[in-house]
Amino acid sequence: MAAIAVGVAALGIVAALVLTAFEKNLVFFFTPSQVVANEAPQGRTFRIGGMVLEGSVKREGVEVKFVVTDTAKNIPVVYSGALPDLFREGKGVVAQGQLGPDGVFRAREVLAKHDENYMPPDAAHAVEQAQKTLQMK
């Protein structure tokens, strides 16, 4: 009986450790509208996706500033490093990083579309929802 109790306790501890590690590595996707509505986690890494706003890309050395939009709301993004070759204004993008207290998203990774017809499914849905919301107003 004691061996079974020890086994169940060990299994419970292992399950708790696995779930904790999984939760720490889980990265959620949010749209600019959701970020503005404070639905995104503060102080945690998440992904933001939408379109790169036309005329918003500013390069300063290796630092790039641009704005991600879902056509309803905009979020400024700062990224240091080389952008993907397919990164363009007016095209789909997903950035992973954290939102600063100043409202600027500091990206550690930027992903761009891979052909002219592709946009990440979550980003495409977000843009579609934002456009429907704007049409209702």
Side-chain angles (χ1 to χ4, degrees), residues 60-83:
E60 299 171 3
V62 295
E63 186 175 87
V64 181
K65 296 178 181 179
F66 58 95
V67 176
V68 175
T69 184
D70 61 5
T71 69
K73 301 292 182 184
N74 301 329
I75 297 293
V77 178
V78 175
Y79 175 69
S80 293
L83 289 167

Side-chain angles (χ1 to χ4, degrees), residues 36 86 90 96 115 134:
V36 170
L86 298 174
Q96 182 171 314
D115 72 26
L134 284 176

Side-chain angles (χ1 to χ4, degrees), residues 7-68:
V8 169
L11 186 61
I13 291 171
V14 169
L17 291 173
V18 168
L19 290 174
T20 301
F22 180 72
E23 184 180 339
K24 287 181 182 178
N25 292 318
L26 196 59
V27 179
F28 291 101
F29 176 89
F30 294 92
T31 65
S33 293
Q34 290 173 314
V35 173
V36 170
N38 293 321
E39 294 177 25
Q42 296 294 320
R44 290 200 52 199
T45 298
F46 64 93
R47 289 183 176 167
I48 185 169
M51 306 293 285
V52 178
L53 188 65
E54 293 281 346
S56 70
V57 178
K58 308 280 188 267
R59 299 176 193 272
E60 299 171 3
V62 295
E63 186 175 87
V64 181
K65 296 178 181 179
F66 58 95
V67 176
V68 175

Side-chain angles (χ1 to χ4, degrees), residues 91-108:
K91 301 297 180 182
V93 68
V94 174
Q96 182 171 314
Q98 290 186 343
L99 187 65
D102 56 357
V104 175
F105 188 81
R106 286 167 177 59
R108 286 185 289 226

